[in-house]
Amino acid sequence: MEILKKRIIDEGIIISDSIIKVDSFLNHKIDPLLMEEIASEFCNRFSDKSFNKIVTVESSGIAPAVLTGLKLKIPVIFAKKAKPSTMGSFLSARVHSFTKDKDYNIFISDGLISKGDRVLIIDDFLAHGSATRGLISIVEQCGAKVDGIGIIIEKGFQNGGSILRGLGYRIESLAIIEKISQNEIRFKD
Amino acid sequence: MEILKKRIIDEGIIISDSIIKVDSFLNHKIDPLLMEEIASEFCNRFSDKSFNKIVTVESSGIAPAVLTGLKLKIPVIFAKKAKPSTMGSFLSARVHSFTKDKDYNIFISDGLISKGDRVLIIDDFLAHGSATRGLISIVEQCGAKVDGIGIIIEKGFQNGGSILRGLGYRIESLAIIEKISQNEIRFKD
């Protein structure tokens, strides 16, 4: 997705050879017009699929997930990173953040995902794939099927994408970064 | 907003005389079509204003804020409840959650809100108003103006709305709850 790659190059801030900051349009300040184009691109790439729910994780996944949900006219469920006191029975999964070097749990209330659901998982980043695997685990604990995974930025130099593709999941990443160096972000193809 | 009130009555779960759970369309599972109607309603109610930025706080404010931002073609900034390690200089405010009975800080990176910005604050709930006051504080620390506050559900029996209106802020709440009792949610007018 060329317009996305251009924004990453123009506005991404290289923090290290594995971390870029895209706070000016994706993770902190959000450009809703770009998010709408991202949602359209997810719909195009998955036009052969018939999802009935989108699942993401708070917070940066919410904007692209809701705009995609609006186009597909299907609900969006976002996993929470802390269990609210008002949450009754729930499903959870353990996630490791390599950026923050810590483990945390993600939670989805029981009953929001049902057996037979055809789920599109959407997230902003795919790197080692821990958060995505956590979402897959919860969806599958519910007896539902992960029918597609839509990622805005995949770090192709980390192994999350290859592991998940190897397990048979269909992943569509709108920009795959092959290498981050001191002064360059290089994309795959 | 009648369609919103109907959803609150039909799907809201009364937890106590001050807490309702609206996880089935707003806070956990999101109905993107309802969110779009909410965004349209915010645009109608503030049609006399000319905002150039929307500010909200993660996570439940993001969906309505992004859909409103899309209609107004302006960016959305969401305050974070934890400071990422990659965040440089920032502005912050202390917020008290009465539901969780604890204090936390919210953070916005320096430079995302500028002097002269005309800001619309959007959030899902207004109760005691602590989170909203935190957002106002950050916007005003930046030298920007809070030109409107759009709230999906206001708890009219708590004092956040009256305090903020008393301070001169324009608040548009799409549903104002007057009273929650064991088996009834009563709205103002």
Side-chain angles (χ1 to χ4, degrees):
Chain A
M1 188 180 174
E2 291 311 315
I3 193 175
L4 171 64
K5 291 179 187 170
K6 186 171 178 344
R7 292 291 287 270
I8 295 168
I9 287 171
D10 290 350
E11 300 179 36
I13 295 168
I14 296 167
I15 303 288
S16 71
D17 62 4
S18 64
I19 300 176
I20 56 159
K21 203 163 84 161
V22 285
D23 271 9
S24 68
F25 59 93
L26 183 58
N27 288 134
H28 189 9
K29 182 177 167 189
I30 299 170
D31 177 347
L33 299 165
L34 177 66
M35 283 301 141
E36 192 184 40
E37 297 206 52
I38 283 170
S40 294
E41 183 73 17
F42 282 139
C43 292
N44 288 340
R45 293 198 185 196
F46 287 113
S47 61
D48 57 316
K49 295 284 186 182
S50 172
F51 305 111
N52 73 323
K53 272 176 198 161
I54 294 176
V55 172
T56 186
V57 58
E58 61 181 355
S59 291
S60 300
I62 295 175
V66 166
L67 288 169
T68 307
L70 184 63
K71 286 179 190 294
L72 299 177
K73 296 186 170 37
I74 58 176
V76 172
I77 293 141
F78 65 91
K80 306 208 173 197
K81 289 179 177 170
K83 197 180 83 59
S85 59
T86 55
M87 187 180 267
S89 57
F90 59 84
L91 300 124
S92 72
R94 193 99 179 137
V95 170
H96 182 74
S97 166
F98 287 83
T99 311
K100 294 173 187 162
D101 191 25
K102 67 170 190 179
D103 283 357
Y104 59 97
N105 291 307
I106 57 173
F107 304 88
I108 291 184
S109 284
D110 212 4
L112 293 184
I113 304 171
S114 307
K115 193 173 169 185
D117 280 345
R118 303 170 308 280
V119 171
L120 169 61
I121 287 176
I122 285 187
D123 210 357
D124 57 339
F125 271 96
L126 173 63
H128 295 277
S130 185
T132 307
R133 284 202 302 272
L135 291 175
I136 291 171
S137 164
I138 292 179
V139 170
E140 294 180 348
Q141 285 174 55
C142 297
K145 188 182 176 202
V146 175
D147 227 3
I149 299 170
I151 298 293
I152 300 180
I153 303 173
E154 178 177 342
K155 293 179 180 174
F157 54 88
Q158 288 173 340
N159 63 2
S162 59
I163 290 173
L164 291 171
R165 288 185 183 92
L167 291 169
Y169 294 101
R170 159 100 168 268
I171 304 176
E172 294 288 346
S173 297
L174 307 190
I176 301 178
I177 297 176
E178 200 170 71
K179 191 175 193 307
I180 302 172
S181 61
Q182 208 171 354
N183 45 23
E184 192 201 12
I185 298 167
R186 199 169 67 216
F187 295 99
K188 192 175 162 195
D189 57 55
Chain B
M1 190 180 174
E2 292 311 315
I3 193 176
L4 172 63
K5 291 179 186 170
K6 185 171 179 344
R7 292 292 287 270
I8 295 168
I9 286 172
D10 290 350
E11 299 179 37
I13 294 168
I14 296 167
I15 303 288
S16 71
D17 61 5
S18 64
I19 301 176
I20 55 159
K21 203 163 84 162
V22 285
D23 271 9
S24 68
F25 60 92
L26 184 57
N27 288 132
H28 190 7
K29 182 178 167 188
I30 299 171
D31 176 347
L33 299 164
L34 177 66
M35 284 300 142
E36 193 184 38
E37 297 206 52
I38 283 170
S40 294
E41 183 74 17
F42 282 139
C43 292
N44 287 340
R45 293 199 185 196
F46 287 113
S47 60
D48 58 316
K49 295 284 186 182
S50 171
F51 306 110
N52 73 323
K53 270 175 199 161
I54 294 176
V55 173
T56 188
V57 58
E58 61 182 355
S59 291
S60 300
I62 294 174
V66 166
L67 288 169
T68 307
L70 184 63
K71 286 179 190 293
L72 298 177
K73 296 186 171 37
I74 58 177
V76 172
I77 294 141
F78 66 91
K80 306 208 174 196
K81 290 179 177 169
K83 197 180 83 58
S85 59
T86 54
M87 187 180 268
S89 58
F90 59 85
L91 300 124
S92 72
R94 192 97 179 137
V95 171
H96 181 74
S97 166
F98 287 83
T99 311
K100 294 173 187 161
D101 191 26
K102 67 170 190 179
D103 283 357
Y104 59 97
N105 291 306
I106 57 173
F107 304 88
I108 292 184
S109 284
D110 213 5
L112 293 185
I113 303 171
S114 307
K115 194 174 169 183
D117 280 345
R118 304 170 308 280
V119 171
L120 170 61
I121 287 176
I122 285 188
D123 209 356
D124 57 338
F125 271 97
L126 173 63
H128 295 278
S130 185
T132 308
R133 284 202 301 273
L135 291 174
I136 291 171
S137 164
I138 291 178
V139 170
E140 294 181 349
Q141 286 173 56
C142 297
K145 188 182 176 202
V146 175
D147 228 3
I149 299 169
I151 299 293
I152 301 180
I153 303 174
E154 178 177 340
K155 293 179 181 174
F157 54 89
Q158 288 173 339
N159 63 2
S162 59
I163 290 172
L164 291 170
R165 288 185 182 93
L167 290 169
Y169 294 101
R170 159 101 168 267
I171 304 176
E172 294 286 346
S173 297
L174 306 191
I176 301 179
I177 296 176
E178 201 170 71
K179 190 174 194 307
I180 302 172
S181 60
Q182 208 170 353
N183 46 22
E184 192 201 12
I185 299 166
R186 199 168 66 217
F187 295 100
K188 192 175 162 197
D189 58 55

